[in-house]
Each structure stands twice: as structure tokens, then as C-alpha cells.
Amino acid sequence: MRIVFTTWSASAHFFPMVPLAWACRAAGHEVLVAVPPDCVPAVSAAGLTAVAVGATAPPAAPPAMGGPRAAAALRDWPADWPLRLTELGAPRQRMLHSLVDRQLGLADAMVPGLLAFARTWRPDLIVADGSTYAGTVVSHLLGVPLAAHLWGAPAVLRLEHSGPQGSPLPGYRRLFEHYGADPAHGPLGWLDPCPPMLRLPTGEHRWPVRHVPYGGPAQWPAGLLGKPARPRVCVTWEAGARPAGPPHDGPDPLLAAAGLLAADGLDVVLALGPAQRAALTRLPDGVRTTDASALHLLLTTCAAVAHQGSGGTAMTAAAAGTPQLVLSPRPEQMLTGERLRAAGAGRHLSGGDLAGDEKAAAKVRDAVLDLLSGPARDAALALRDEVHRLPAPSHVADDLTELATGG
């Protein structure tokens, strides 16, 4: 069987797909990965074969998404906001629509190349990242079954629609109609690594799949895998984030809190990508760094992790049984933080609430200390056990064969 995986992002959205892609290869299927040109090196580094389609993606939206006015729109979101899109008000809806518009632009750039490739290679199944609309367009045009792959988000975020089970937004409809596709077409189901404890119930059909951590080629983090003499806290950021931040933005709350935690006597380790480490010209006293690609190994030694709420980091921490503090920069990450808080396995601070707060770093430090002294560890271990009970990618690969053949 021929399977094409497709996504627009090298880290946050491609990395969660790698274990399933390899499970399909190990089962004897032909697997290719269609991605924009800037994602090709990540696919090759994972030992998979890439097909370049579309154009390089623009940088991800910055945390503030447009300054003080946007920061204000990030405050006080409902904990179940994906179920209440029509109730969010104009400023919040504009923020979400801007995210959709970005994905529509990426999809429009990807469709011609993906369609030409698929017409030639003739895949039996498309596995598309849930926010890669190009895969849905091509699935309908060629009549190829489609499975959507989630990246650890607690909900199926159908932001391209007016609400749960709602109608497509005008821009989404125009994308499909431009290529002669039906905007009502969708995946047969959603491959979901999020454990049930964290899921926000929605109407879409989900196929559970165990999150197997993958962060790119990694090296054993020497000196960090033994039992630490002091409680260890990991601090990490999204792949595209800049921990140092522009000078006029003031100190990053997570970075400043790392220094405060180290001063309190904790063993603090920053998990960073190469560009992030290069940008940090000075580390807080008592703080050290390691490669973020080995995060899954580091977190098994940590008493807590503080991060920005990306799906990959949240699922990797869940699989390790590590209590989490989420300092969320955007609505999706707010949802992750709130679901962790509700499950008792974490705490959540909204970046919008902390914007311009001189005590932001102290509040982050206090939230981490609260994690260390409270019952979050037991809930985090229960979450870990739930992750491990989900079907392994090898089992799901067999199910995909039945899906493609209509079994």
C-alpha cells in the first residue's frame, strides 16, 4: 500500500507523525512525506523520504500576536472555548481567523505540487496533519481516503468552520472551490495522541494512537540521566520561540523564572534548540542547558517542567509522568494548560494575563514551586499510565490498511 503523509511544519506537526510513518514503513508499506521545502531536511533526518511541495512557511505568529491590544484579547478565555466559537466576541474571533488565514495561504501554495505528485504516485491513503488543508483538497479531487493526524491538542480544532459541526468559513470555502473540490469533504477520522484525561469532547471520530516521543536526531544528554541530588526542573520553549526575546520586550518570564528557581536551590535545566541556545548570550546563574531533541530522556528525571503548551512538549511530559506548568502564548496552548489543570497534572498561567506584569517571573516561579509541593505528581503518573495504554503506532498502522481498503 502507498501512503503519503503531509504537513506544513517541520517540528510541531511533523514530529508527532514520525512514529506512525515508520510503523507503516515497518509494516511493509511505501511511505512518502510531502512537505514545504524548508521541512525537507527534518523529514530526511527522520530517515523518511521527502517530496517538496509548496513554499517555505512564514514564521509562526509571535506570542503577543499584534501588541497590547492583542494581548488583551488573550485574557480570560473560556476553558472550553473550541466548543463556543460563536460566543467568543469579535476580537477573539479575529485572532482565530488570522490563524486560519495563515493556514489557507500555506494550503494554496501546497495544493498544486501535492496534487501533481499524488496524480503521478497514486497513493492509496493520505495522512494529513489536521491543519494542512491541502491534504483535504487533494483527497477529494483524487478520491483518496483521508485520515487527519493531530499533534497533541486536547480538541479537534475545526477553526476553519464557524463552530462545532458548523459551516466552513468563506476563505476555506473559496480555497476548495478554486480547485473544484467540495468544502464539505473531510477526513474519515482523526488520529489522536491526546490521552482521554485531557481531551475536550467534540463530535469528530477519533482513533487513539499512543504518543511516542520524537524530537529529531538526539544525543544522550551526558550527566543528566542519573537521579539528581536536588529536585530538577526543566524549562523549555516552542521550537520557533526566542527565549531571549527582543530587548524592548523585557525579560522572558520563563527564562527569568529559571534564574529564580535556581537561586531557590533547584536543579534547573533549559531544553533548547540550536538557534535558541545560540541566541542566549548569557544564562541565569546556576542554570544549564541541554538539547531539546532529547527532552523525552530528560523529563524522566524531572520533578516538573515549565513550557509554552505546545502539543509535542505536553504529550512528551505526559508520557514521562512529569507535572507541567504551561505559560500559554496563544489560544490553543491555553486550552492545553486548562486541560492539564483540570486533570490535576499541571498548572496554567496565560501569557496574556502576565503581559506587562513586573511580577510575571515570580508568579511563574511560585507556580512551579506549587507543583513540586502539591499532589500533581500523582495525577501526572495517572496520565502517564493512560498514555501507555493507548494503541501503539504499529497497531494503528494495521488499522490504516483496513481504512484504505474500505475494510
Side-chain angles (χ1 to χ4, degrees), residues 274-311:
Q276 293 171 334
R277 181 64 187 92
L280 280 179
T281 56
R282 182 180 181 278
L283 290 173
D285 293 340
V287 174
R288 50 185 169 158
T289 69
T290 193
D291 181 4
S293 297
L295 183 66
H296 61 294
L297 298 175
L298 173 65
L299 288 185
T300 61
T301 73
C302 291
V305 57
H307 62 98
Q308 293 183 304
S310 72

Side-chain angles (χ1 to χ4, degrees), residues 167-192:
S167 58
L169 294 179
Y172 188 78
R173 183 178 296 278
R174 284 194 297 271
L175 171 72
F176 277 71
E177 292 175 348
H178 175 73
Y179 291 101
D182 182 359
H185 180 70
L188 297 175
W190 300 76
L191 295 155
D192 187 5

